[in-house]
Amino acid sequence: MPELLKVNNLIKRFGDSTVLDDISLTVKKGEVVVILGPSGCGKSTLLRCINALEDIQGGEILIDGENILTGGKHNSKVGMVFQSYDLFPHLTVLDNITLAPCKVQKRDKAQVRDEARELLKRVGLFDKEKSYPRELSGGQKQRAAIVRSLIMHPELLLFDEVTAALDPEMVREVLEVILDLAKQGKTMMIVTHEMQFARAIADRVIMIDGGKIIEENPPERFFTNPDTERARQFLNTFTYESVRA
Ligand code: ADP
Ligand code: MG
């Protein structure tokens, strides 16, 4: 499979603090890469850099071989879903979803609406197109936010802790949508604290700590027999036994 994303020697600083310190990674078309690491290690910043929402202090980020900061067309190639859904409160679900493809991509309104309905059906929201965000549960809002991203046809989808603000029973319905996207062959980078989900969905796990990639392995290896002591410690913080011991 060809490479879709290439990050070469990325450096990101906020003032004097170096948050991403020489990060290099590659994501192939159709691959699902899960990014793990402790809070504050730079996961969100990495995704924001890849989505061209941050200036960078060193290195380069290429999508389909094109530098995202000079290439200009990156915005249509990368989609991102955040922890907070950021739906417009005064617009219906359907209008939230169709706004950008119609206004930004100048696509045909009727076609976009048809596609929106198709996608809403796929995530179990076929009857919610006329609802306003306040009328939806957190899980429904997050699924609508995923549709809003999908309808732009991004080549690379970034998910940043999309279930972190949800009640447990809603986590599953959102994770199932993402699992379904993986089955369809979508290329994704996923930041999550749901370890079982990470293990189930990842083709590859990348762990970041102290601004550096400290381990990169297939999930079977990472979750059962990681190379680094740091990864082992990190994984232990998620097991009940370690809390009781
Ligand atoms: P993570 O998502 O892994 O929890 P973040 O990428 O959000 O970590 O943050 C990494 C580090 O960068 C943290 O120390 C955070 O305080 C800092 N940081 C993030 N955004 C900014 C910003 N806009 N200005 C200054 N510091 C920031
Ligand atoms: Mg974060």
Side-chain angles (χ1 to χ4, degrees), residues 14 19 38-45:
F14 290 112
V19 172
S39 180
C41 74
K43 302 179 297 294
S44 296
T45 303

Side-chain angles (χ1 to χ4, degrees), residues 120-239:
L120 282 170
K121 193 155 69 176
R122 218 196 281 162
V123 303
L125 293 177
F126 67 97
D127 56 347
K128 298 292 180 195
E129 65 168 73
K130 293 197 175 72
S131 300
Y132 287 88
R134 64 172 179 277
E135 299 168 325
L136 302 182
S137 72
Q140 289 169 335
K141 276 188 272 206
Q142 194 56 286
R143 283 181 281 150
I146 291 172
V147 168
R148 185 182 49 179
S149 199
L150 285 177
I151 201 162
M152 301 293 278
H153 305 157
E155 288 185 45
L156 174 65
L157 265 169
L158 310 175
F159 290 92
D160 192 2
E161 295 198 39
V162 293
T163 61
L166 300 179
D167 291 337
E169 65 267 30
M170 292 167 192
V171 169
R172 193 176 181 93
E173 67 191 35
V174 171
L175 296 184
E176 273 171 3
V177 167
I178 303 174
L179 279 165
D180 192 47
L181 295 174
K183 277 194 209 127
Q184 292 166 35
K186 289 263 188 300
T187 314
M188 302 190 276
M189 285 180 83
I190 301 174
V191 172
T192 182
H193 288 300
E194 299 286 335
M195 290 300 136
Q196 285 182 322
F197 167 69
R199 187 169 178 172
I201 202 167
D203 293 312
R204 193 148 45 90
V205 175
I206 292 178
M207 180 167 169
I208 298 177
D209 195 19
K212 290 187 181 295
I213 292 177
I214 59 156
E215 179 155 348
E216 187 169 350
N217 259 322
E220 314 81 60
R221 176 68 185 253
F222 184 85
F223 286 102
T224 57
N225 189 19
D227 295 340
T228 59
E229 186 52 33
R230 184 68 191 90
R232 208 176 299 273
Q233 281 172 2
F234 176 76
L235 290 170
N236 270 335
T237 63
F238 290 92
T239 61

Side-chain angles (χ1 to χ4, degrees), residues 67-114:
N67 190 312
I68 61 157
L69 292 177
T70 55
K73 280 191 289 181
H74 61 272
N75 273 332
S76 56
K77 294 200 172 174
V78 182
M80 186 158 171
V81 184
F82 305 85
Q83 179 177 330
S84 63
Y85 343 97
D86 297 320
L87 297 168
F88 292 113
H90 60 289
L91 295 182
T92 64
V93 166
L94 190 67
D95 287 343
N96 262 289
I97 291 165
T98 56
L99 186 68
C102 292
K103 291 269 186 300
V104 180
Q105 294 180 330
K106 315 271 187 223
R107 279 154 58 190
D108 177 74
K109 199 163 180 182
Q111 273 177 13
V112 168
R113 279 177 173 253
D114 286 349

